[in-house]
Amino acid sequence: MTDTQRAAAPPNIRVVLAGLMIAMMLAMLDNMIVSTALPRIVGEFGGLNHFTWVVTAYVLGTTVSTPIWGKLGDLYGRKAVFLTSIGIFLLGSALCGMAGSELLGGPGDGMIQLIAFRALQGLGAGGLMVGVMAIIGDLVPPRERGRYQGMIAGIMAIAMVAGPLTGGFITDNLSWRWAFYINLPLGGAALVLLATRMHLPRYRTEHRIDWLGASLLSTAITALVLITTWGGNEYAWASAQIFGLVALTVLSTGAFVLVERRAPEPILPLGLFANRNFAVISAVGFLLGFAMFGAMNFLPLFQQTVQGATATESGLLLLPLMFGMLATSIVAGRTITRTGRYRIFPIIGGVFLTAGMVLFTLLDAGTSRVESALYMIVLGVGMGFLMQTSMLIAQNSVEQRDLGAASGAATFFRSIGGSLGISLFGAVFNSRLQSSPAGEYIAGGGGETGVDPAALRELPAQLRETVLGGLAGSIAGVFVWAVLFAVAVPVLAWFIKEIPLRSTNNVPTDRQTPEEQAEVALSKAPVA
């Protein structure tokens, strides 16, 4: 690294990075940690028909808020906005842990309270996810950014595996409430560290929040998520309720586009999509979320039902995926920092992502844990090349003043893709399962136990083989559909143009107040 490159990042970047990594870990971990606690929560509160909303409310809050948090950071300064999002996340965590307690009226309304508090928590998590990436973009020029974003990708990979493991341990040894309370000391430490040690450049901007655009975008996203959540489950796809939500999605999206074209400070600047790289990488992010999050949701199901793993073992069996993602994200980040070249990585990542999905179409009742581990390594390599490289390209495609909006949009499209992927692949899985011998067993004599792993192990050998074969075939069918979306990723990535990464952030000091210039100077002072 040259002296110029060293000077590009403030000396306190490692101190700030520690706080950012804690914040990202909290947002990602909480998305995964609750899954293993849900059976215990349902056992305490009841409300089995509403339990999926504990997850959906969090995802919805995160998806709706990411573009808004990004734009607020551009307008009001990322530090204050990011610290606010941490505060909201911690408040939501505390309330989630208290849901159904005597302090809040007892367990009678516990499930409804938990769903509402999870939505609040998701609103804060959206600010954490987009804020971390935008702050790195403020502190580090694009040429240096790959290394630090590779570290963040590593944290995301760890959280994907640590979440189910931690949730299972906490639920078994403490209480499901500590799955939320654990956020408080960690988030508090990040809040204090970033409040005292993080100094970011801020710009004088006329503060006009596009509240109408934000409302229309939130309405469109909410309606879309409700379509994917309720369609085929709560209501038939051809029902009046679903058609009404489709109409609401279309109308609110059209109104949003019209409003954004006229807004002085749009929540999602449509002009960003005139940049080819930004438009292409946004589409890549959508497809990545669609294929990756949608299909990966079924790996633990395969491991616990077909391969007979416990919930804790299932988390451990995901380690090959984490190692593949962690190693390649770090390698890609360091290579980009050293060479300044990045176009090849999303192409390679798309190829490995597609190859991993193709391998998972081979799943059957006889697939060993070693075989599935090798498949996960291939998939993890593809994810590692794509996850943070796509964010880097999105940020390098826009001016510094639009960094928050670009980071929010990139996170938004990936989240929307994941939400739609989970819904579509869930419908595919249910359809194939119902037409399989496993579906006949569940609809017939096995309906009371469903696909409970413990109950499946007690079945007679011949029936168990038939049922497990049907489950494995249904899960493999999900990955067949995932291939159709994954294969478009390297094709789209081919059209990315190699634009040289900036070696500085080119921050114009004439747009800063004297106080803000002093704050930036402080950030570059040696840390005692």
Side-chain angles (χ1 to χ4, degrees), residues 30 86-98 114 116-122 180 183-184:
D30 215 78
I86 295 179
I88 293 175
F89 180 82
L90 295 181
L91 175 62
S93 298
L95 291 173
C96 284
M98 296 166 60
L114 182 59
F117 297 151
R118 281 285 283 171
L120 177 64
Q121 192 185 32
F180 300 106
N183 295 330
L184 301 181

Side-chain angles (χ1 to χ4, degrees), residues 158-173:
I158 293 172
M160 290 172 63
V161 177
L165 285 174
T166 305
F169 178 83
I170 289 175
T171 302
D172 290 337
N173 295 279

Side-chain angles (χ1 to χ4, degrees), residues 175-410:
S175 163
W176 64 264
R177 298 180 186 276
W178 279 97
F180 300 106
Y181 288 148
I182 194 175
N183 295 330
L184 301 181
L186 294 174
L191 188 66
V192 172
L193 179 63
L194 295 174
T196 57
R197 305 302 294 271
M198 182 171 69
H199 306 282
L200 301 175
R202 293 176 298 172
Y203 313 107
R204 287 196 302 268
T205 307
E206 188 176 354
H207 296 164
R208 295 182 181 177
I209 301 297
D210 177 22
W211 293 117
L212 179 57
S215 300
L216 289 170
L217 180 62
S218 299
T219 300
I221 296 170
T222 302
L224 184 60
V225 171
L226 288 176
I227 291 171
T228 59
T229 303
W230 285 347
N233 296 309
E234 296 286 335
Y235 304 103
W237 285 105
S239 66
Q241 290 87 346
I242 298 300
F243 279 128
L245 287 172
V246 170
L248 179 60
T249 302
V250 172
L251 291 175
S252 54
T253 300
F256 171 74
V257 171
L258 293 176
V259 169
E260 294 303 277
R261 286 180 173 177
R262 295 171 172 80
E265 287 291 342
I267 285 291
L268 186 60
L270 300 182
L272 295 178
F273 297 95
N275 182 294
R276 187 176 80 176
N277 272 12
F278 185 84
V280 170
I281 208 63
S282 295
V284 167
F286 175 83
L287 292 171
L288 172 63
F290 205 109
M292 182 181 68
F293 292 116
M296 278 183 53
N297 198 48
F298 293 89
L299 286 179
L301 178 64
F302 178 81
Q303 293 162 342
Q304 293 183 41
T305 57
V306 180
Q307 295 184 327
T310 65
T312 302
E313 290 172 346
S314 178
L316 292 173
L317 289 173
L318 290 173
L319 286 175
L321 180 72
M322 182 197 75
F323 288 138
M325 181 178 173
L326 181 62
T328 51
S329 63
I330 292 175
V331 169
R334 291 186 176 275
T335 303
I336 291 171
T337 297
R338 187 177 68 254
T339 66
R341 305 185 70 84
Y342 55 82
R343 178 177 177 268
I344 189 64
F345 293 111
I347 298 175
I348 296 176
V351 171
F352 273 93
L353 178 73
T354 304
M357 296 298 181
V358 170
L359 290 173
F360 277 115
T361 64
L362 305 177
L363 292 177
D364 56 36
T367 302
S368 69
R369 295 185 179 183
V370 174
E371 289 176 298
S372 59
L374 293 175
Y375 300 167
M376 279 187 276
I377 291 175
V378 176
L379 182 61
V381 169
M383 291 165 55
F385 279 131
L386 279 164
M387 289 289 284
Q388 297 313 309
T389 306
S390 58
M391 179 65 73
L392 174 66
I393 294 171
Q395 291 181 340
N396 192 58
S397 302
V398 302
E399 297 181 24
Q400 192 71 20
R401 62 186 175 86
D402 289 325
L403 191 66
S407 302

